[in-house]
Amino acid sequence: MTLVAEPELRSASPVTFGFANGVRDALPRFRGRCTVVRLATLDNDVLGVPRWYTLQDAWAEEGSALASRWAGNPVVQVGPSDDPELVLATATPVVVVGADNAATRWARQVVDAVRATCRSVLVVDMGAHPEPSYADIATFGHDRRHGAALLALLTAS
């Protein structure tokens, strides 16, 4: 699988995402109700907050129709001590969000298990070093701007 970098022009300053082959065509499946699996990878030690703080902040932005629409999706938080085989089984599309997904064995196992048990799976890697086999979309960052651009992409009409 190859990640092709393309700019997302939904914000004042463009954010460049990488897309695996065929992912752009599959995006409409994930724009309705879906289940979000957040991989608890690499907390921000400097700030002392989970890595998802900025993304959570983006999708909880008050007054934003986009954020409130996305916030209505169920979220499953998965960590290294969770059994990857028991993480999830759902008929709704699943968006797996992690950072440097291929870097840890447990994250790879969770992604593999979700892909094996769910029909429609989109894996997002918000880390600096995405591995194409564990990233359908690579954001190359997990700050608020990248989070907002990701939400815009996943909730576009």
Side-chain angles (χ1 to χ4, degrees):
M1 185 179 310
T2 303
L3 290 170
V4 179
E6 297 178 26
E8 273 305 306
L9 302 174
R10 301 199 192 299
S11 61
S13 56
V15 171
T16 300
F17 287 170
F19 295 88
N21 294 331
V23 167
R24 283 216 178 256
D25 294 334
L27 282 175
R29 270 185 273 168
F30 300 93
R31 291 185 174 143
R33 182 140 173 94
C34 62
T35 300
V36 180
V37 175
R38 292 191 313 192
L39 301 175
T41 47
L42 303 175
D43 285 346
N44 185 330
D45 295 329
V46 175
L47 296 177
V49 296
R51 189 166 214 154
W52 306 122
Y53 180 78
T54 51
L55 179 61
Q56 183 73 27
D57 195 34
W59 83 44
E61 187 174 319
E62 260 188 73
S64 165
L66 176 139
S68 61
R69 197 167 116 203
W70 184 253
N73 290 322
V75 177
V76 178
Q77 178 81 17
V78 182
S81 62
D82 294 319
D83 182 348
E85 298 300 321
L86 300 176
V87 169
L88 188 67
T90 180
T92 64
V94 177
V95 178
V96 179
V97 183
D100 298 322
N101 299 337
T104 58
R105 183 174 176 229
W106 71 266
R108 292 189 307 271
Q109 290 174 326
V110 170
V111 170
D112 292 342
V114 171
R115 283 179 169 164
T117 58
C118 301
R119 286 189 311 217
S120 296
V121 179
L122 179 69
V123 179
V124 178
D125 193 320
M126 297 188 80
H129 307 288
E131 162 61 40
S133 57
Y134 289 94
D136 298 318
I137 297 176
T139 65
F140 307 106
H142 62 277
D143 58 32
R144 184 181 177 87
R145 191 169 59 96
H146 285 86
L150 178 62
L151 292 185
L153 178 69
L154 295 176
T155 56
S157 299

